[in-house]
Amino acid sequence: MPERVWDYPRPPALEKTSRHLRVIFNGVVLADTTNGYRILETTHPPTYYFPVEDVKMEYLTENSRETFCEYKGIASYYDVVVGNRTIPSRAWAFKHPKGSGDMYKPIAGFIGFYASPFECFVDNERVEPQPGGFYGGWITS
């Protein structure tokens, strides 16, 4: 039976995933892992996080943007630069996640990517981006 976003909990659940996650931009594989996490939050498609060792950090430049999540704390953002293309603030990390009982501590420093404008995959399925520009959910079948 398919997952339904309305069945996801509040506060959001954090799950380890061994699914093959990839992010590609301008012909470059930016991130590739089978050692990620996903966050499941009511009404939102999953958001995936990559361990920094599975991200080509030479293409990410931290910028001054920060946002606040009531569950995970402060997110720091990165611009993605590949060749002559720059995409501002389309990757982020919770360097020091907050949360009850340190439940989000495993994703400290992990990198999340918005699905747009990248080519993102869960296993071999191309991801659809969550509509709107604020949340970074990845929609799959």
Side-chain angles (χ1 to χ4, degrees):
M1 183 161 109
E3 294 180 329
R4 294 172 6 111
V5 296
W6 289 100
D7 294 333
Y8 293 161
R10 264 211 192 296
L14 177 66
E15 287 185 350
K16 188 88 171 117
T17 182
S18 61
R19 296 185 77 180
H20 187 197
L21 310 173
R22 286 181 294 143
V23 177
I24 302 167
F25 179 63
N26 210 19
V28 173
V29 177
L30 299 174
D32 189 332
T33 194
T34 55
N35 195 30
Y37 279 92
R38 67 185 195 145
I39 290 190
L40 309 174
E41 184 172 356
T42 307
T43 74
H44 296 287
T47 303
Y48 290 90
Y49 291 84
F50 293 75
V52 71
E53 60 268 14
D54 293 339
V55 176
K56 292 184 179 171
M57 294 301 293
E58 65 267 26
Y59 295 107
L60 275 62
T61 303
E62 190 169 359
N63 63 37
S64 61
R65 181 177 180 209
E66 290 183 339
T67 58
F68 179 77
C69 170
E70 65 183 302
Y71 301 111
K72 297 176 289 296
I74 296 173
S76 300
Y77 285 80
Y78 298 85
D79 298 338
V80 178
V81 182
V82 176
N84 63 352
R85 296 195 57 197
T86 299
I87 305 299
S89 297
R90 298 310 280 175
W92 73 94
F94 291 96
K95 293 179 182 177
H96 307 286
K98 307 291 184 217
S100 62
D102 292 330
M103 78 183 279
Y104 302 111
K105 200 170 215 158
I107 63 164
F110 275 51
I111 306 293
F113 290 88
Y114 287 88
S116 174
F118 309 112
E119 296 173 62
C120 299
F121 297 86
V122 175
D123 294 328
N124 287 319
E125 182 179 355
R126 177 87 183 254
V127 169
E128 284 184 48
Q130 179 176 2
F134 188 74
Y135 295 103
W138 290 22
I139 299 171
T140 56
S141 57

